[in-house]
Amino acid sequence: MKILLFFVLLSAISLPGYTQVKDYQQEMLSLYKSINKYFYIDSLGYYKETAVPEKDGRPVSYLWPLCALLQANNEMETVMNTGSLLMPAFKIIQKYHTDLSPASAYASYAVPLGGGSRFYDDNQWIGITAMDVYKRTKDERWLLTGKEIYRFMMTGYDTVAGGGLYWQEGNKSSKNTCSNGPGIILAAQLYQATKEQSYLDTALLLFKWVNANLKSAAGLYYDNIKTATYAVDKKQYSYNTGAMLQAAVYLYECTNDKNYLQQATAIADSSVSFFLANNTFKDDYWFSAVLLRSYQHLLKYNKNTKYMLAFKNGVDEAINNNKNANGLMGKKHILNLVAQGGMLEMLARFAWLQQQHIF
């Protein structure tokens, strides 16, 4: 009987479509080690954008990949129950900080190396992570960071095209879902932390504007609207839909209005078949990680695991088929730091879910 059971199990493992349970925490630690080995420049104290020399000769990473790494490190701290991973990355990000008028914020490139433009979405991703850390640790420094970034993002608001936030400081050509979706999340997080009504008012205002101007008939979200012509760029990315989905969940938490939870579920239903078909990710790993954040948040209130299971299949497929000999993501070529950070965040989130015996 034991021999028969052994062969039954052995045959099951070889069945098409069967995947053994992943140790997501081990995968997470392995990728984290490889990222630091191949992307961190110890002599400069910065990360680089790619594991190969930059074509334009820039020696270090832009801000956006560090935003991805910061959020991933926060999720790792949650899994590991440690406080040693986040601050090293945040200290590097401080080298991008500027005190320029009209509000202090983070530049797109390291200030000691020349600096760069300031983007509202880059800053919002930092603010969102800061508020996640504040919720977890109650360390007031992170709340101050969230408030600082909120002040900066609101300098990008006006009533052109009916409202909404611009994407890039000083560039008033478009208003984008990628700067308004995370803006809603940050405002809602600040409302939850402070109970100041102005934050909730902002979140509600931006949510209404995005849905009026950038939501597709299928329930996904377009990229941007041009302020000169009101023409809509109809590209659809998983991070835009993910940000708006999570924004709806936050607004449900802030208002107890079940309409927002119903909207969140509808967005999830529309997104899963569009962005996660055939057990693969339609978009870059970091774009997908933002969608995963929203699914994980929604799981608190909607216990249907179909969204998370679809995501798990994509993560498992990536681990099985797109990890190279250096332990990084990208078999054909090493992917950039943004993508590595996105996969690191996804692995950390699934490691936490595995700890909770959800998967």
Side-chain angles (χ1 to χ4, degrees), residues 196-266:
E196 292 181 23
Q197 184 64 35
S198 60
Y199 292 127
L200 181 55
D201 291 343
T202 295
L204 293 168
L205 182 70
L206 295 178
F207 189 80
K208 182 179 180 180
W209 181 85
V210 176
N211 280 289
N213 291 277
L214 290 168
K215 189 173 185 178
S216 77
L220 303 177
Y221 288 86
Y222 298 132
D223 189 64
N224 68 75
I225 184 170
K226 304 301 180 186
T227 53
T229 63
Y230 293 1
V232 173
D233 182 337
K234 294 189 175 181
K235 295 185 186 71
Q236 296 175 98
Y237 299 110
S238 52
Y239 79 138
N240 284 333
T241 291
M244 288 301 295
L245 197 168
Q246 191 172 24
V249 178
Y250 268 112
L251 288 177
Y252 167 66
E253 292 178 338
C254 292
T255 67
N256 292 315
D257 184 343
K258 290 186 178 180
N259 178 57
Y260 291 111
L261 187 57
Q262 292 167 357
Q263 289 186 62
T265 299

Side-chain angles (χ1 to χ4, degrees), residues 24 292 308 311-312 315 346-354:
Y24 294 110
L292 175 59
M308 298 298 294
F311 227 103
K312 180 181 180 298
V315 170
M346 290 193 284
L347 291 171
R349 288 183 180 277
F350 274 99
W352 183 86
L353 290 164
Q354 205 165 45

Side-chain angles (χ1 to χ4, degrees), residues 101-209:
S101 180
S104 58
Y106 294 89
S108 58
Y109 198 68
V111 174
L113 299 177
S117 301
R118 301 195 298 187
F119 292 84
Y120 297 108
D121 60 334
D122 286 356
N123 280 270
Q124 288 160 343
W125 300 123
I126 295 169
I128 288 168
T129 303
M131 294 307 297
D132 283 348
V133 180
Y134 174 70
K135 185 174 182 179
R136 178 168 61 86
T137 67
K138 302 305 178 187
D139 185 333
E140 291 287 329
R141 293 177 298 175
W142 297 102
L143 178 59
L144 292 175
T145 296
K147 288 181 175 181
E148 176 187 41
I149 290 171
Y150 176 86
R151 286 192 295 271
F152 169 67
M153 88 173 191
M154 293 309 293
T155 67
Y157 179 87
D158 64 23
T159 57
V160 173
L165 298 164
Y166 293 101
W167 173 51
Q168 179 183 1
E169 186 180 31
N171 181 350
K172 297 191 174 184
S173 62
S174 70
K175 293 186 172 182
N176 297 45
T177 304
C178 74
S179 51
N180 284 274
I184 300 164
I185 293 172
L186 178 58
Q189 288 174 312
L190 285 164
Y191 172 74
Q192 289 180 331
T194 67
K195 301 305 179 187
E196 292 181 23
Q197 184 64 35
S198 60
Y199 292 127
L200 181 55
D201 291 343
T202 295
L204 293 168
L205 182 70
L206 295 178
F207 189 80
K208 182 179 180 180
W209 181 85

Side-chain angles (χ1 to χ4, degrees), residues 30-31 33-35 37-38 318-335 340:
S30 175
L31 180 57
K33 181 179 179 181
S34 294
I35 288 171
K37 179 178 180 180
Y38 292 102
I319 293 170
N320 290 336
N321 299 312
N322 200 33
K323 187 165 61 173
N324 64 31
N326 293 328
L328 294 166
M329 303 309 300
K331 271 193 171 180
K332 292 183 179 179
H333 57 86
I334 296 174
L335 301 178
Q340 305 294 342

